[in-house]
């Protein structure tokens, strides 16, 4: 029976990519089966079910909004499956596909849970999970327009040091989050009391990415340092938590940043 569940779920996951599913009016039936399989005790069956839900974007993109709550509930729940990194990774990939078909208002109250869950993977030891977490955070940033703008801005403010440190991530794929970091630290997504971060971004980038041409630390006026003392203190407190990080590259960058306090 377990082999049957695995084989049939893999088949249905692939079927979800086929427009025929919508034409034959089989979508509801298959979604119901995948929902059931997403709770399967076999992690591979669970993974295949999650993959199938993400494939709705390929087979029936016009139906994504209709089933948005159904999809988000299952996919966000899969982010909590700490017993299988494969299930979590599959859920992140599926969410990336689904979210691109939605708008801020479509996500509703799931926005907060989703944002918080994604942030828990910023420092995960799995390279693929860290990479996808940054990708998803960037997608959420682009979706944020009105209702969740203030909330998301606060999350960016809390995470900006972590985002900067991971520009020097030991995984090449993760360190390519530079476009996401730049976007997240833009004035559009920072609250007024955190926009001072932009004044210090060139200096911190000089410490993190030596090859980047930007002004030396001495070019930051003393007045700005004084006016943003609280910001710098936050930078220091967050940075020292990375002194014992398992990645040498991150520890080195953290030490450099703390030294600029």
């Amino acid at each position: 029976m377990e082999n049957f569940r695995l084989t049939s779920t893999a088949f249905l996951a692939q079927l979800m990519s086929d427009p025929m599913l919508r034409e034959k009016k089989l979508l509801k039936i298959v979604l119901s089966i995948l929902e059931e399989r997403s709770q399967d005790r076999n992690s591979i069956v669970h993974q295949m079910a999650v993959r199938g839900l993400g494939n709705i974007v390929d087979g029936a993109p016009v139906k994504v909004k209709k089933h948005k709550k159904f999809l988000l509930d299952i996919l966000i729940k899969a982010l909590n499956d700490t017993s299988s990194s494969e299930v979590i990774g599959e859920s992140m990939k599926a969410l990336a596909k689904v979210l691109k078909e939605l708008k801020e208002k479509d996500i509703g109250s799931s926005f907060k849970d989703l944002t918080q869950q994604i942030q828990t993977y910023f420092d995960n030891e799995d390279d693929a999970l860290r990479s996808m977490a940054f990708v998803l955070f960037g997608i959420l940033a682009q979706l944020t327009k009105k209702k969740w703008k203030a909330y998301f801005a606060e999350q960016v403010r809390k995470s900006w040091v972590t985002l900067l440190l991971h520009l020097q991530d030991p995984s090449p794929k993760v360190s390519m989050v530079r476009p996401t970091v730049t976007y997240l630290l833009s004035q559009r997504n920072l609250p007024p009391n955190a926009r001072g971060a932009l004044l210090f971004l060139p200096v911190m980038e000089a410490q993190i990415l030596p090859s980047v041409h930007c002004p030396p630390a001495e070019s930051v006026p003393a007045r700005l340092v004084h006016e943003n003392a609280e910001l710098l203190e936050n930078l220091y407190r967050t940075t020292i938590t990375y002194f014992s990080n398992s990645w040498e590259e991150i520890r080195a960058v953290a030490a450099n940043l703390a030294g600029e306090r």
Side-chain angles (χ1 to χ4, degrees):
M1 287 298 294
E2 189 167 86
N3 286 337
F4 170 76
R5 294 201 313 278
L6 177 56
T7 304
S8 61
T9 307
F11 168 75
L12 292 175
Q14 185 61 35
L15 182 63
M16 284 289 288
S17 298
D18 196 326
M20 177 191 72
L21 190 72
R22 185 175 75 254
E23 295 169 4
K24 299 293 184 179
K25 298 183 179 179
L26 296 172
L27 184 59
K28 275 191 175 183
I29 297 173
V30 177
L31 284 177
S32 178
I33 298 173
L34 291 178
E35 178 184 21
E36 179 186 345
R37 299 289 170 83
S38 71
Q39 303 173 51
D40 199 281
R41 63 179 180 275
N42 185 308
S43 63
I44 301 179
V45 174
H46 188 178
Q47 181 185 356
M48 290 298 101
V50 169
R51 180 179 299 177
L53 293 176
N55 284 346
I56 189 176
V57 175
D58 303 315
V62 296
K63 297 293 183 179
V64 173
K65 285 191 176 183
K66 179 179 179 180
H67 299 286
K68 57 183 181 293
K69 188 178 187 309
F70 170 85
L71 294 168
L72 290 174
D73 285 349
I74 296 176
L75 295 178
I76 293 175
K77 184 178 180 181
L79 289 178
N80 290 311
D81 190 349
T82 54
S83 64
S84 174
S85 61
E86 288 77 13
V87 170
I88 296 171
E90 202 70 61
S91 177
M92 287 182 169
K93 294 176 185 175
L95 281 166
K97 295 171 68 174
V98 169
L99 289 174
K100 289 180 180 179
E101 300 295 319
L102 301 177
K103 295 183 178 180
E104 182 187 46
K105 63 180 182 181
D106 297 320
I107 304 176
S109 58
S110 297
F111 189 96
K112 188 173 183 179
D113 291 338
L114 183 54
T115 302
Q116 292 176 346
Q117 283 297 319
I118 290 172
Q119 288 174 285
T120 64
Y121 292 102
F122 281 175
D123 290 321
N124 194 277
E125 293 187 358
D126 188 307
D127 293 355
L129 295 188
R130 290 201 311 283
S131 176
M132 281 305 302
F134 289 124
V135 169
L136 283 172
F137 207 62
I139 292 174
L140 286 177
Q142 294 173 353
L143 283 171
T144 307
K145 302 296 182 182
K146 296 179 181 179
K147 182 177 180 180
W148 294 102
K149 186 176 178 66
Y151 171 79
F152 192 77
E154 178 62 16
Q155 299 310 303
V156 172
R157 187 188 69 79
K158 291 178 179 178
S159 304
W160 69 286
V161 175
T162 298
L163 292 167
L164 283 169
L165 287 173
H166 279 287
L167 285 172
Q168 190 66 15
D169 194 280
S171 168
K173 180 181 287 189
V174 181
S175 64
M176 291 175 66
V177 299
R178 183 181 178 82
T180 299
V181 173
T182 302
Y183 182 81
L184 292 171
L185 292 179
S186 68
Q187 292 194 30
R188 177 183 177 280
N189 285 297
L190 280 176
N193 64 345
R195 288 177 183 167
L198 293 172
L199 302 173
F200 298 96
L201 183 56
V203 179
M204 289 182 285
E205 284 185 329
Q207 291 294 321
I208 296 172
L209 299 173
S211 61
V212 176
H213 177 70
C214 47
E218 290 77 16
S219 66
V220 178
R223 177 181 60 82
L224 296 181
V225 175
H226 176 73
E227 292 177 355
N228 294 275
E230 183 180 349
L231 187 69
L232 288 176
E233 185 62 30
N234 174 263
L235 165 67
Y236 179 72
R237 286 198 308 268
T238 305
T239 302
I240 61 176
T241 64
Y242 285 88
F243 283 4
S244 58
N245 193 278
S246 59
W247 299 305
E248 181 181 352
E249 295 88 343
I250 298 295
R251 292 200 305 273
V253 175
N256 284 339
L257 285 179
E260 290 298 326
R261 178 175 177 252

